[in-house]
Amino acid sequence: MFPLYDVLPSRKRPYITIALIVVNVIVFIYELILNDRELLVFMYRYGLVPARYTVERVREALGFSLFPFISHMFLHGGFWHILGNMWFLWIFGDNTEDEMGHVGYLFFYLSAGVFAALTQFVFTLHSTTPMVGASGAVSGVMGAYFVLFPYSRIVTLFPFFFFLTLVEIPAFYYLMIWFFIQVMNSLVGSYGVAWWAHIGGFVYGMLWGYILRMRKYRRYRY
């Protein structure tokens, strides 16, 4: 069930969404030119390693820094990793940026990534594996979209037996199913993916979306 695009046009060009995608791609290209050792050091330095803040010997080895709570969301572990994150950001980011405004959207995106990282951190306090990727922040964008544009439709590539077909799924149901999958995977404990970051980012985005809707409702009411 792979999303291709949404049917809701944006009113303004999504400059921040485009800039975020460009920055992520530039960082990924930089990762590609590093050798294996340099890449490992780069990931441990700028990825989020929970044990860096909870295990003394790891903190001594890596040094104390809060910057990885921001920098981790611009690093990716492979081509499909960055492609998936940037594709979802492009689909759901333009309309969300439209609704929030450029500056507000940028603050929201970064803060969603931080909140998602904190959520993952709470559930993996002693992990020595670097958490990297924009998926927490992108999940925040999806959570906001879920609240702000529930009646939009997502054109999705859907497998039907041995064939692929295009189906328009209401955003409310598409994103609800997506969130349910994240929750189930987090409970099963599937290794290698920061499922709790996805959940935390999505919930954070929903809260922002709800606040925006309430403000809009009060403005029109009065």
Side-chain angles (χ1 to χ4, degrees):
M1 200 169 70
F2 185 78
L4 296 179
Y5 57 90
D6 68 336
V7 299
L8 193 63
S10 56
R11 300 184 301 271
K12 294 173 287 188
R13 188 174 296 276
Y15 292 111
I16 300 301
T17 297
I18 293 171
L20 288 169
I21 292 173
V22 169
V23 171
N24 275 277
V25 170
I26 290 173
V27 173
F28 183 69
I29 292 173
Y30 176 73
E31 290 177 29
L32 293 177
I33 66 175
L34 299 175
N35 61 42
D36 290 345
R37 183 181 180 282
E38 290 171 336
L39 180 60
L40 186 64
V41 171
F42 186 71
M43 290 296 186
Y44 270 92
R45 178 174 297 168
Y46 298 108
L48 180 62
V49 182
R52 186 177 198 167
Y53 310 98
T54 59
V55 180
E56 186 175 353
R57 60 182 176 80
V58 178
R59 182 166 59 250
E60 290 175 352
L62 298 179
F64 182 84
S65 173
L66 295 176
F67 185 60
F69 279 93
I70 295 288
S71 59
H72 83 277
M73 66 183 84
F74 295 97
L75 278 59
H76 288 87
F79 175 76
W80 294 112
H81 190 200
I82 187 171
L83 178 63
N85 281 338
M86 296 303 100
W87 188 264
F88 274 74
L89 178 58
W90 178 249
I91 292 175
F92 298 104
D94 59 339
N95 301 114
T96 307
E97 183 175 345
D98 241 357
E99 193 70 18
M100 295 183 178
H102 303 306
V103 176
Y105 174 73
L106 177 60
F107 178 81
F108 162 73
Y109 180 89
L110 295 175
S111 61
V114 171
F115 186 87
L118 286 170
T119 306
Q120 182 69 24
F121 173 77
V122 168
F123 286 94
T124 57
L125 287 172
H126 305 298
S127 173
T128 57
T129 302
M131 185 183 82
V132 299
S135 56
V138 175
S139 297
V141 174
M142 294 166 68
Y145 191 103
F146 175 76
V147 174
L148 295 171
F149 311 106
Y151 300 112
S152 175
R153 305 181 79 83
I154 311 300
V155 178
T156 304
L157 196 61
F158 192 85
F160 184 74
F161 291 101
F162 299 104
F163 304 97
L164 291 175
T165 184
L166 294 180
V167 180
E168 284 193 8
I169 304 176
F172 178 86
Y173 294 111
Y174 180 91
L175 291 170
M176 185 169 60
I177 293 170
W178 179 90
F179 183 70
F180 176 76
I181 292 172
Q182 312 311 301
V183 172
M184 293 305 298
N185 278 315
S186 70
L187 296 177
V188 171
S190 181
Y191 180 76
V193 178
W195 301 112
W196 287 108
H198 298 178
I199 294 169
F202 193 88
V203 171
Y204 182 83
M206 287 178 61
L207 292 174
W208 266 68
Y210 178 77
I211 292 170
L212 285 175
R213 281 188 62 179
M214 289 300 98
R215 287 180 177 175
K216 194 173 184 179
Y217 170 75
R218 289 172 183 171
R219 186 164 61 247
Y220 287 145
R221 184 179 178 184
Y222 297 108

